[in-house]
Amino acid sequence: GPGCKHERCGIGGIPTPKLEGKFMATENFFYTAEFLGLGAHSTLQDVEAKGAQFCGSDWEHLVEIHGPEPGGKVSASTGRSEEELLKYCFSA
């Protein structure tokens, strides 16, 4: 960009390093791991395994426990919509 004085610049002229080796981008890793009850030192494999177990469960039961109230309203007890549960499963 016009304001960047480096060879490689990203959004807003911020210098970005060259990526080498294997690289995997993750979204909401911390929040997904936390939702699944995993600790701060969880690995991607931990999240994948726990996500498969959680999201492979009976969906109606998961929504009943973790999701919105009947009619799709965000649950007062969990604060989550069904869409949020779907996003956690997608991220896992």
Side-chain angles (χ1 to χ4, degrees), residues 22-87:
K22 284 186 160 186
F23 177 78
M24 178 177 289
T26 59
E27 178 193 5
N28 293 322
F29 182 86
F30 173 81
Y31 298 106
T32 302
E34 182 180 59
F35 172 77
L36 294 172
L38 299 170
H41 299 286
S42 301
T43 65
L44 186 57
Q45 290 78 18
D46 295 336
V47 172
E48 184 178 22
K50 187 73 171 189
Q53 176 189 4
F54 179 84
C55 300
S57 301
D58 178 66
W59 187 254
E60 288 181 17
H61 181 69
L62 292 177
V63 169
E64 183 179 312
I65 294 172
H66 300 283
E69 296 173 352
K73 279 181 56 180
V74 172
S75 170
S77 60
T78 67
R80 293 184 198 94
S81 66
E82 187 169 359
E83 183 177 332
E84 286 177 282
L85 288 178
L86 289 168
K87 288 179 182 179

